[in-house]
Amino acid sequence: MAGSTGGYRPVVAEQEVAPVRRGRSIRRSGRPAERVLAVGAALVLAVVLTGCGQDDAPAARRTVHFYAALAADDGAAACADLAPGARQQVEDQQGAPCAEAILELGLQAVAGPVSEVEVYGSAAQAVVGDDTAFLSRYAAGWLITAVGCTPGGGDRPYTCAVEVS
Amino acid sequence: MAAGHDRGFLKRNSLGIFFGLIFLLSLAGQAVAGWHAFNSEQAAEGLGTLSFVRYLVSSDFAVDVAENWQSEYLQFLLYITATVWFLQRGSPESKELEKAGLESDEDQKVGPHADADSPRWAAAGGWRTAVFSWSLTLVMAGIFLASWTVQSIAGRVAHNETRLGRLQDPLTWTEYVTGADFWARTLQNWQSEFLAVGSMAVLAIYLRQRGSPESKPVGEAHTSTGVEG
């Protein structure tokens, strides 16, 4: 739920994977059954930590950058934050290059902080003002797959002005 | 001499080594196939794909592994404990019909009835003998509960990843473990495990596998209970 603040600035290359600290190998001790249990416990712990440890800052930064670009009327910068499929949908919808079309969609242009962000695996949801955006992690980092979203009510999907087609 | 010694070790431990190897091969195969399946679905929806290493530490892989582990350990946990009290006439998986229950200390060689070769905690008496008497069940139950917990945590992350891809709000852990995805994953595994052990106990009344300790000897009567080949 960590929020992220920041103004309009270029998104720098994201270091999303913590460096692996290299050290001495774990000393083997105990009887075989104890070693098996120890390895099992370590695996369970690793999996639990994998499920819990989600870094939400890069997705939040991407979202903040997108809305700040809109606020600055910088359509090219905003489009660079969109996933390829979302960029395509903007162009198809407006019949114009993304950098022009994105500014014509009437999207909220608030250079404010992300009030809420949740990351699950390679997907994220971020809230800025009254608007909700969805993101996916690509090889190049987090990109916005849907934006200008309002809740569909109940368990129905959000309705979005732009979404990956 | 060393080679002969090694061959002796391999032969004496071939059951554990065989299953250890096919476990590792199957896990590796699951990882590769699961990675391709995950990326195929992501690409079809225009979403980002994962490297193989990222997939190995992903919740999607973890939940697929954990949901099978928990059900397998539950299966053997129940089988170990149910066969203390429940009987199946004619089955080599059952005890003899008059032996239902925890049996006497003499039968179980505990406390003063322990042999010279008995494990130390079987002879020790008190809490150590009590713990050792249930140690197999305790460890199997521990692994089952740990795997099921991991399934709930990793499953929630994987399910929420799918929900966000469908532009739906994520679920809390409580919502997830009381919801359909968690129980569908859990029960689809449980039903198959219970069917497999139950059918093996009953089929082994009438069918045989020559040489297997899980079967009665080929010529043993269908009515003989608790006899292993």
Side-chain angles (χ1 to χ4, degrees), chain A residues 50 120 122 125 136 138 155 158, chain B residues 46 57 161 163 167-169:
Chain A
T50 300
Y120 294 97
S122 59
Q125 180 189 46
S136 179
Y138 295 79
D155 205 32
Y158 280 66
Chain B
V57 296
E161 187 177 21
R163 287 179 64 87
L167 308 181
Q168 291 173 293
D169 279 325

Side-chain angles (χ1 to χ4, degrees), chain B residues 86-145:
Chain B
F86 295 159
L87 304 168
Q88 183 61 57
R89 185 171 182 268
S91 177
E93 299 299 323
S94 169
K95 296 202 284 192
E96 293 163 48
L97 300 179
E98 67 281 6
K99 286 192 172 177
L102 295 172
E103 303 182 17
S104 67
D105 285 357
E106 188 174 2
D107 288 339
Q108 291 289 314
K109 298 185 186 178
V110 295
H113 305 285
D115 291 341
D117 293 341
S118 294
R120 274 185 303 156
W121 280 33
W127 67 270
R128 281 176 295 184
T129 297
V131 168
F132 188 64
S133 297
W134 286 82
S135 54
L136 185 57
T137 291
L138 289 172
V139 169
M140 299 298 274
I143 298 173
F144 159 65
L145 290 174

Side-chain angles (χ1 to χ4, degrees), chain B residues 157-178:
Chain B
V157 174
H159 186 60
N160 279 344
E161 187 177 21
T162 302
R163 287 179 64 87
L164 292 185
R166 293 195 304 238
L167 308 181
Q168 291 173 293
D169 279 325
L171 302 178
T172 64
W173 183 82
T174 307
E175 287 171 333
Y176 179 69
V177 297
T178 54

Side-chain angles (χ1 to χ4, degrees), chain A:
Chain A
M1 292 291 177
S4 175
T5 57
Y8 175 39
R9 60 181 184 272
V11 173
V12 295
E14 296 165 358
Q15 180 75 26
E16 293 180 6
V17 182
V20 176
R21 189 166 51 183
R22 298 187 185 280
R24 286 183 298 173
S25 59
I26 298 168
R27 183 174 64 90
R28 287 189 169 189
S29 62
R31 287 174 294 182
E34 291 168 348
R35 284 208 298 269
V36 168
L37 284 178
V39 169
L43 280 175
V44 168
L45 186 64
V47 169
V48 169
L49 291 176
T50 300
C52 298
Q54 304 279 349
D55 182 8
D56 53 21
R61 279 201 301 273
R62 179 68 73 187
T63 309
V64 167
H65 183 268
F66 174 79
Y67 285 103
L70 285 184
D73 281 336
D74 188 345
C79 285
D81 293 327
L82 294 178
R87 268 200 300 273
Q88 188 64 50
Q89 199 250 353
V90 170
E91 292 180 348
D92 292 346
Q93 189 176 324
Q94 298 295 104
C98 183
E100 297 171 23
I102 193 75
L103 301 175
E104 306 299 321
L105 288 174
L107 293 170
Q108 171 187 275
V110 178
V114 168
S115 59
E116 190 178 328
V117 59
E118 292 199 58
V119 174
Y120 294 97
S122 59
Q125 180 189 46
V127 178
V128 175
D130 297 328
D131 206 5
T132 300
F134 291 85
L135 301 94
S136 179
R137 187 169 49 209
Y138 295 79
W142 288 95
L143 293 172
I144 292 168
T145 54
V147 73
C149 302
T150 52
D155 205 32
R156 285 198 296 270
Y158 280 66
T159 303
C160 302
V162 175
E163 64 183 83
V164 165
S165 53

